[in-house]
Amino acid sequence: AMSTVLVERERGLFHEGTTHSELLLGDLYVRYGLPDRAEEIFTRLLQQDILAQTRAETWYHTAALHYRQGEADRAAEILDSDRMDNLAEDLADQRHLMAANAHIHLENFDRAVEHLNRVRSGSVAAAYANYNMGVAMIRSGRVDSGLDILNGVINLARGDEEINALKDRAALTAGLTELQRGQPGEAREILSQVRSNGPFSNEAMMTMGLANYYRGESRQALPLWLELVRRNPGHESVQEALMLAPQAYEELGAKPQALAGYRFAAERYREELRKVEVAIRNIDRPEWVESLLPEEGAEVVNQDPMALLGSLGLAQGEEMDYLHQLFASHTFAERFRQYQQVLRLQRILRQRHKEIPALREIHAHRQSRLREALPTVRAELVDLKSRRRGLRDAALELEQQIPARLDMSRPQDLAALPQLIMWQRVNRLEEQASRRGISGRDQERLRRVRGLLLWDIAHDAEETREQQEEDSRRLVRDTGIAEMRVAALEELVREGTLALREEDNGLREELAALESEVESQLDSARATLEQLEQILKNDALRVLAEIRRSLGEQLGEVHLAMARIQEGRVLEDATGLGEALDVQTSEGVEP
């Protein structure tokens, strides 16, 4: 799309003053990761005298540019101003959503709520706005109001996967809030509305188990955690459940089951630590970042609708279970999007680089054909120019020979073609009659035929003369057209001659310069990709190192719990043995 706009601008269809095409180009620059180019366009448009709505759209795109660059304060300043009051309704909703997110990031929760209240109801944007508003109110201390709004999102009608995932997320947020403020019963009721096969089912089961546990109902919490520990152990909620399930057994006095649970948890933690080490080695592979790219046509299911980079869930590898939070971060999402764009540019440049030899071959073939054809074409052109001059002179002479007045002294000049043929035939018959000597009767017949033919020619003379004059003018025009065509052919021959002279067209040098420029851009793209790959790898390694530390701590806690249970069992056994010895001694039995 960007290339099309730029090409059409070069052709003159658009120019820098065409506001709508420039707005589109600026938006494309933002999406493509070229903020400097976009800012140049927006700044130039804002300095022009443009329509109020177009000016508001320009400010909107400028704010989106700052928001994408992580400059929430600058984005909020623009989005709060009255410079955007003339936006269309759909963009106005997006403006308020963006402004609310910026203010939430800046912890200006009251201002965020003001913007969210201005989003039109009944749309998908309104559903997101209500969710964000609920979160903003909870974080600003108005918990009851925030929960009421979240309940409105939870009670939305079932829709597509995006809406259903948003409903699940709202239920999870509300349940966690109720649990944090000491209302486990209400939390359990809300969490029961989260789908068991949705993207937030693990968190919901974990939280519902905690709600039961805090109510003193460890027996009700245990099945939830036991179900959870059978799921993917790379998920944080599953790892927490591995510790909580045996704790629940301890609370219920089932020490053997608790010990078995801790042993199972230790095995899982050790296995996950092994996977983390494998993941760290995978990240060190040169092609790791490129392996994150989803396959063409892959379908996204059960995606978190609030994630900035949901498509990364399609990537394969043991490290993918541990990098969800990293993939959802704004900074990583922007860097990975830049990586994708530079990678796409690199592929285009490689394709162009492969095309240059073909262009050289076409150029050489064209030069060879020109060398072969030009001598013959030049000779034919000389002959054609000579014939064209003769035709032009004959046409002008014919036009000048047409008398201005009708004159029957030369009837053949006024005759139409059929009449001319008949006139020539009558003349030949008269010549033959005079040589052979025919009878007076036949001579009379010829004279009568000649008279009838003369009358016919005279009768049509005026119309015939007009047609002759029109034909003469057309012939002169046609000779002029032929002259222009010959001139065009002469120009083509001249261009072909110039094309054979490398010093005049320099196409070979241009191709060499183009190849050098493409190679330079390929080197630049390669260096940029290497830099971005290293940054992304460092971010991933940092997250994996933190996960490894956390798993190590959890494994240590499991071993301590196992030691505590085993020590308790030893003490119980020792106590039982001491009591048995006391009984034996009292009965006079030697130990």
Side-chain angles (χ1 to χ4, degrees), residues 79-103:
L79 294 167
D80 286 343
S81 68
D82 56 2
R83 292 172 288 190
M84 308 182 67
D85 290 345
N86 294 299
L87 279 176
E89 288 185 344
D90 54 342
L91 283 181
D93 290 340
Q94 298 300 322
R95 165 207 177 180
H96 294 306
L97 277 176
M98 190 191 308
N101 289 333
H103 281 296

Side-chain angles (χ1 to χ4, degrees), residues 304-325:
D304 177 0
M306 308 296 287
L308 294 174
L309 210 59
S311 61
L312 286 176
L314 297 172
Q316 302 297 320
E318 298 197 40
E319 66 273 18
M320 305 314 299
D321 292 335
Y322 306 104
L323 300 180
H324 173 74
Q325 292 181 354

Side-chain angles (χ1 to χ4, degrees), residues 89-90 92-94 96-97 100 115-134 149-150 152-154 156 162-163 166 306:
E89 288 185 344
D90 54 342
D93 290 340
Q94 298 300 322
H96 294 306
L97 277 176
H115 277 285
L116 292 169
N117 278 323
R118 298 172 67 179
V119 178
R120 291 176 301 163
S121 60
S123 62
V124 176
Y128 280 101
N130 287 334
Y131 174 82
N132 289 343
M133 190 186 308
I149 295 174
L150 288 178
V153 178
I154 297 170
L156 289 173
E162 183 180 15
I163 289 296
L166 185 62
M306 308 296 287

Side-chain angles (χ1 to χ4, degrees), residues 62-253:
T62 305
L65 174 63
H66 292 306
Y67 183 76
R68 286 281 301 274
Q69 292 179 305
E71 301 170 353
D73 51 346
R74 296 185 65 183
E77 179 184 356
I78 296 174
L79 294 167
D80 286 343
S81 68
D82 56 2
R83 292 172 288 190
M84 308 182 67
D85 290 345
N86 294 299
L87 279 176
E89 288 185 344
D90 54 342
L91 283 181
D93 290 340
Q94 298 300 322
R95 165 207 177 180
H96 294 306
L97 277 176
M98 190 191 308
N101 289 333
H103 281 296
I104 289 174
H105 179 78
L106 297 171
E107 298 186 357
N108 299 328
F109 303 114
D110 292 338
R111 194 77 180 101
V113 171
E114 291 178 15
H115 277 285
L116 292 169
N117 278 323
R118 298 172 67 179
V119 178
R120 291 176 301 163
S121 60
S123 62
V124 176
Y128 280 101
N130 287 334
Y131 174 82
N132 289 343
M133 190 186 308
V135 172
M137 285 189 169
I138 290 171
R139 294 180 63 181
S140 64
R142 290 176 285 177
V143 178
D144 290 333
S145 299
L147 288 174
D148 289 339
I149 295 174
L150 288 178
N151 284 330
V153 178
I154 297 170
N155 294 325
L156 289 173
R158 291 282 176 181
D160 57 14
E161 186 59 36
E162 183 180 15
I163 289 296
N164 293 338
L166 185 62
K167 286 164 56 67
D168 289 346
R169 184 171 182 133
L172 176 63
T173 303
L176 283 169
T177 303
E178 291 286 11
L179 188 62
Q180 289 172 356
R181 68 174 188 168
Q183 301 294 332
E186 289 77 359
R188 184 171 62 176
E189 182 178 353
I190 295 173
L191 291 168
S192 64
Q193 301 182 61
V194 179
R195 295 172 300 161
S196 61
N197 61 345
F200 305 102
S201 59
N202 288 352
E203 293 90 340
M205 291 179 67
M206 179 66 210
T207 308
M208 187 176 293
L210 288 174
N212 289 325
Y213 186 80
Y214 291 153
R215 284 167 58 94
E217 300 174 355
S218 299
R219 194 175 298 276
Q220 284 73 24
L222 192 55
L224 293 168
W225 291 335
L226 291 177
E227 168 62 26
L228 197 54
V229 298
R230 288 196 286 266
R231 298 191 176 187
N232 182 4
H235 198 281
E236 186 177 355
S237 296
V238 177
Q239 293 173 5
E240 292 182 15
L242 287 169
M243 281 288 295
L244 291 172
Q247 287 182 16
Y249 274 124
E250 278 194 85
E251 296 250 345
L252 296 172

